Amino acid sequence: PLSSLDVAALERLAECERQLGNARDSLECVVRLIAQPGADSSYATMLSDLCGVLGEEMGDKRQRMAGDLFKAVGAAMVPRNDTLCVEVKIRSQVAAAVHVDRVAAVLTSGGGHRLEVEFVARDVTITSGESSVMLTADAVSCAGRFSVAAVCVAIGGTEFVAAADTQLYVHLAEHPANPVVRLRPALVADMGCLALRVTVDTRATGVAAGMSIRLFDASSGSPLRVTRCGHAGFSVSDGAIVIKDVIDAGCSSEADVELAVDPQVSSTAITVCALFKTATAERRVFVATTGVDTAPALAVSAHAVALDESRVAVILRTQCTAANLRLESLCAAVPDAEWSLEEGTVMRRGDVVTVVREIANAPELRLQGEARFVLPTEDSSRTLRFNVVCSAASPVVAVRMTTGSRFCRVLEPTPLSVRIVGSTAAR
């Protein structure tokens, strides 16, 4: 603590520096005086006046000053319908209320993608002791746990760092009014490809000048390249999804896209980063990480067994690789022949539906078709399109067709026990 003589000397020094035009040196003296227990309330007026002088001298620039004049002692998100809002509690050592031009808090996310969000409040009054300031942010929408990296209080041309004694954390939700981008598996996909459905919902804020969407692997941070987009209003540029159309507020648009990633990955967390402009030309960002199950629910293969020199039996094998599903239909076609099944069969992981068809032999037998199925966690059916080439006969299943027979179906539950189902005999 300063003695009474030290206080008197600092007061005279502050006044001398002020009269000499050295506002910064005078301000440093005032800050030391304010920090003393039982400081006079008149120092608050001196603080505001000197910061104002520095503001006029420095223009748009600000000097940063450390110290214990202000301290951040708490932070929490406050639910709002129109913006992101964080309440920051600040303890002031100034003996009187101080009008401040700006209070800003920088929140930083952890994980593979470091993201900073600045919350700001302007023209607020900080009272002596502890007071709450409501700060808002509209530029970024990202849900998750953030740490408070810095809190600054700006008065005129001076920015005071409001350091915290302990690390403060805030759990943020998505911006309640900004557009969101959602991912889920596409309802129609080609076997061997990772297909996702991308949905953009503008909510209360429209997209006026288009949107750029990039996808990243959440664990490694590596970019995921989009190779194809199945929507007229969506295009692909340098591995990103580009929307050039205007999307009005309260509207949504969606497209199926294919990604150049390993289709055998069982599940992955994908980070979406969307950049867009609002109707008022404000740049905004949406970031979210979504767990998307990318494992194929069905595996389809085909084999051929020679019956004689001109005829073969084509064996189409469809295996369930999901926990369980309901196979609604299965259809396939080869040159000069096609067939379909209306199923409704419930399959567990490892169950196999095998379809056998006798056709004319050919140098290459390629099957094209699709399987439609429903997963227990979804209401809509999915479609898997396949294009497979028949390989040599499987040693597990070998079928010789009897005279006049053209079709049969074999169901192989797990563990494997072959049952012949249908009115046509096979042996």
Side-chain angles (χ1 to χ4, degrees), residues 261-311:
V261 298
D262 185 358
Q264 300 303 318
V265 177
S266 59
S267 75
T268 185
I270 298 177
T271 298
V272 182
C273 182
L275 307 177
F276 61 96
K277 282 186 178 181
T278 66
T280 55
E282 296 176 278
R283 295 180 181 272
R284 296 191 178 180
V285 180
F286 170 83
V287 180
T289 298
T290 306
V292 182
D293 187 3
T294 60
L298 291 172
V300 180
S301 60
H303 310 279
V305 179
L307 301 178
D308 53 39
E309 293 183 355
S310 61
R311 309 293 292 177

Side-chain angles (χ1 to χ4, degrees), residues 202-227:
T202 60
R203 300 200 286 189
T205 305
V207 177
M211 175 181 284
S212 174
I213 303 171
R214 289 193 177 273
L215 307 179
F216 301 86
D217 182 271
S219 58
S220 65
S222 302
L224 303 176
R225 294 184 60 83
V226 177
T227 57

Side-chain angles (χ1 to χ4, degrees), residues 296-299 318-326 346-353 375 414:
L298 291 172
T318 305
Q319 184 173 17
C320 175
T321 55
N324 59 81
L325 56 82
R326 186 176 75 254
V346 175
M347 302 178 68
R348 298 183 299 275
R349 190 188 305 275
D351 284 356
V352 177
V353 168
L375 296 173
T414 301

